[in-house]
């Protein structure tokens, strides 16, 4: 029987869920508060320059392939992928960087040159990470977080100790060079927590990095949003932008509709891909599952200060993706998680998509995206933003040995206040809730409301967690729960 389903938000998880729900024959409509779709993965264009506002790393290509395969499609039916080589560079000093290549053999050679014997250790470490990746993808990550029993399989029992050890300690047992350690700790930052607080099992992210490689959709991550949007439309989904949700209507403990721009829209099922905490504020207090105290007790992934910059020349001595670890890695992490404050000396990330995609900038020019991870809930104002831009642009010029400050055509910033305004993000978080031991799987906020029938959630604050591939999976899991309820 066809049901009317209203989906709040148009990020990766919402778009993915819409496809699965429409495939089952339901009448699905997405309501997006902003003028364009994509949520955190929106696109920004100015004066011939194109930017991905949010995600810019395409990892775990097998998850994207599995998503499209569910509809008898392939990613290549909707967008073209380019494998980056080098995948990225990590800068430690003036013209002092380590390049991570697109194959493990070259990466092993780089490690061995820096630390004798480390290539063999790396091969063992990545083999273990590959095993964990296989278990995560085949046995764990596609489970809905309903019961702790989901984590117990023949394979996971053998790796039980890895849920109680942490990534940082495991890496430091195998490697001594601090630069190599930081490179290996970097991938789990995508999960939103310090490596010392992330269960060892999550080293599968190192296989995602060194084993599966870093890819780039031909004209940016928004290609993927456009691709899933096209699939959704082919399946009959309706998408309405500039549609702000003001309330979720509940009658007899059952969600029956939403109020959009002052208009009541009836629906049999409500699925929210918007920020989970914000979504519950659309309900009367008696229908909210998680209290303010609960949200305040959670460990959130960082917010970010972003800069979108158009340069009137090509930038030298730089790769498509670049990480700047020339300052104290641990101190910056402490400034995010232990004693939240603006870091005195921030690590930062730079992305120059026009190195790969010539259409991202006018001829002879460069598109630049800079990111500083910050504690969520931190003070945000223009004075601080400008001060931190000066910090990182000065270091960028020193580390890459070039002057670029006078070649800036324009500069736009985006920070905690914007995450709150544009995405209703709790404390202005950029990546959702961290995947710590006590915030993993069934310990995360649930996909299905415990208090309101026919109300569901998807996205980075629920299972499986932060990141684009998990967002796709979250959409599938939510859709499967809905489909199960409709059959019962």
């Amino acid at each position: 029987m066809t049901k009317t389903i209203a989906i709040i938000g148009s990020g990766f998880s919402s778009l993915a869920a819409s496809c699965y729900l429409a495939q089952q024959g339901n009448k699905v409509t997405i309501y997006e508060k902003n003028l364009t779709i994509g949520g955190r993965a929106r696109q920004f264009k100015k004066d011939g320059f194109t930017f991905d506002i949010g995600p810019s790393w395409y990892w775990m290509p097998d998850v994207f392939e599995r998503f499209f395969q569910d509809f008898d499609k392939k990613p290549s039916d909707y967008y073209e992928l380019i494998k980056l080589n080098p995948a990225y560079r990590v800068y430690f000093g003036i013209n002092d960087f380590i390049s991570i290549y697109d194959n493990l053999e070259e990466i092993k050679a780089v490690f061995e040159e820096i630390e004798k014997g480390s290539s063999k250790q790396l091969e063992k470490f990545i083999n273990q990470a590959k095993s964990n990746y296989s278990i995560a993808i085949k046995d764990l990550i596609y489970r809905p977080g309903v019961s702790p029993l989901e984590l117990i399989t023949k394979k996971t029992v053998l790796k039980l100790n890895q849920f109680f050890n942490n990534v940082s300690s495991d890496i430091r047992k195998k490697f001594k060079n601090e630069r190599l350690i930081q490179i290996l700790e970097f991938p789990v930052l995508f999960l939103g927590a310090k490596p010392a607080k992330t269960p060892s099992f999550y080293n599968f992210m190192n296989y995602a990095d060194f084993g599966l490689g870093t890819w780039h959709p031909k004209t940016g991550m928004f290609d993927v949003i456009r691709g899933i949007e096209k699939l959704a439309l082919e399946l009959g989904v309706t998408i309405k932008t500039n549609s702000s949700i003001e309330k979720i209507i509940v009658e007899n403990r059952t969600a029956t509709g939403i109020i959009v721009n002052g208009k009541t829209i009836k629906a049999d099922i409500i699925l929210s891909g918007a920020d989970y905490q914000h979504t519950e504020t659309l309900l009367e207090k008696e229908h909210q599952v998680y209290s303010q105290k609960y949200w305040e007790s959670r460990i959130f992934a960082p917010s970010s200060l972003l800069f979108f910059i158009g340069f009137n020349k090509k930038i030298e001595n730089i790769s498509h993706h670049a990480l700047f670890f020339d300052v104290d890695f641990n101190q910056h992490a402490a400034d995010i998680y232990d004693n939240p404050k603006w870091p005195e000396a921030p690590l930062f990330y730079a992305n120059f998509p026009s190195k790969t995609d010539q259409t991202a900038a006018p001829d002879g020019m460069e598109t630049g995206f800079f990111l500083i991870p910050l504690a969520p809930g931190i003070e945000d104002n223009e004075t601080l933003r400008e001060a931190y831009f000066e910090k990182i642009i000065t270091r960028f010029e020193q580390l890459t040995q070039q002057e670029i400050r006078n070649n800036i055509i324009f500069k736009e910033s985006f920070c905690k206040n914007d995450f709150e305004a544009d995405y209703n993000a709790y404390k202005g978080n950029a990546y959702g809730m961290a995947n710590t031991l006590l915030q993993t799987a069934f310990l995360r906020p649930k996909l299905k409301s415990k208090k309101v029938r026919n109300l569901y959630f998807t996205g980075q604050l629920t299972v499986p967690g932060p990141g684009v591939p998990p967002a796709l999976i979250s959409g599938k899991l939510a859709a499967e729960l809905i489909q199960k309820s409709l059959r019962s």
Side-chain angles (χ1 to χ4, degrees), residues 83 85 87 99-112 118-130 175 184 206-213:
K83 194 174 188 184
N85 191 27
S99 293
I100 301 302
Y101 296 101
D102 69 345
N103 64 89
L104 186 57
E105 289 306 310
E106 282 191 88
I107 298 171
K108 283 165 55 181
V110 169
F111 270 54
E112 187 66 25
S118 64
S119 61
K120 289 184 178 178
Q121 288 287 359
L122 181 62
E123 186 166 13
K124 292 177 184 176
F125 181 70
I126 295 301
N127 283 339
Q128 182 191 70
K130 182 178 181 180
F175 303 91
L184 289 170
N206 291 103
Y207 176 70
D209 181 1
F210 289 1
L212 298 176

Side-chain angles (χ1 to χ4, degrees), residues 55-248:
S56 58
W57 295 76
Y58 191 103
W59 275 10
M60 302 169 69
D62 52 324
V63 173
F64 295 86
E65 290 164 9
R66 182 168 171 177
F67 168 76
F68 284 103
Q69 188 177 3
D70 285 341
F71 305 93
D72 296 321
K73 302 288 185 180
K74 303 184 296 294
S76 59
D77 293 331
Y78 296 94
Y79 54 88
E80 181 181 337
L81 284 174
I82 300 165
K83 194 174 188 184
L84 300 182
N85 191 27
Y88 55 92
R89 285 179 181 173
V90 185
Y91 286 77
F92 296 96
I94 295 175
N95 272 334
D96 174 15
F97 59 83
I98 295 175
S99 293
I100 301 302
Y101 296 101
D102 69 345
N103 64 89
L104 186 57
E105 289 306 310
E106 282 191 88
I107 298 171
K108 283 165 55 181
V110 169
F111 270 54
E112 187 66 25
E113 188 175 337
I114 294 169
E115 180 182 322
K116 189 171 177 59
S118 64
S119 61
K120 289 184 178 178
Q121 288 287 359
L122 181 62
E123 186 166 13
K124 292 177 184 176
F125 181 70
I126 295 301
N127 283 339
Q128 182 191 70
K130 182 178 181 180
S131 171
N132 287 358
Y133 187 88
S134 177
I135 293 170
I137 294 300
K138 293 178 182 176
D139 293 345
L140 298 181
I141 204 168
Y142 283 90
R143 301 195 178 197
V146 173
S147 163
L149 297 178
E150 293 173 4
L151 296 177
I152 301 173
T153 68
K154 290 181 181 179
K155 292 180 180 179
T156 58
V157 166
L158 296 174
K159 293 179 179 282
L160 195 60
N161 66 312
Q162 291 190 37
F163 286 93
F164 297 97
N165 296 329
N166 67 74
V167 166
S168 184
S169 65
D170 277 7
I171 290 171
R172 289 174 186 275
K173 288 174 187 174
K174 298 176 175 63
F175 303 91
K176 303 304 178 189
N177 184 276
E178 196 63 31
R179 300 198 302 175
L180 299 184
I181 288 169
Q182 288 181 12
I183 288 171
L184 289 170
E185 287 183 339
F186 150 69
V188 300
L189 296 178
F190 283 104
L191 302 174
K194 292 168 65 174
K197 295 290 186 181
T198 303
S200 298
F201 183 78
Y202 283 104
N203 70 16
F204 67 72
M205 292 297 293
N206 291 103
Y207 176 70
D209 181 1
F210 289 1
L212 298 176
T214 301
W215 301 76
H216 184 70
K218 186 175 181 180
T219 62
M221 285 294 288
F222 198 68
D223 283 1
V224 189
I225 290 290
R226 273 193 294 248
I228 302 176
E229 176 195 31
K230 184 179 179 184
L231 173 61
L233 294 174
E234 290 168 354
L235 291 165
V237 175
T238 300
I239 301 175
K240 296 185 177 183
T241 56
N242 199 25
S243 298
S244 183
I245 312 299
E246 295 155 10
K247 187 175 182 178
I248 296 173

Side-chain angles (χ1 to χ4, degrees), residues 31-47:
Y31 298 90
E32 166 59 53
K33 75 182 284 284
N34 293 307
L35 295 176
T36 59
I37 66 165
R40 285 168 166 81
R42 290 182 300 158
Q43 188 182 68
F44 168 57
K45 290 188 174 186
K46 183 172 180 177
D47 299 343

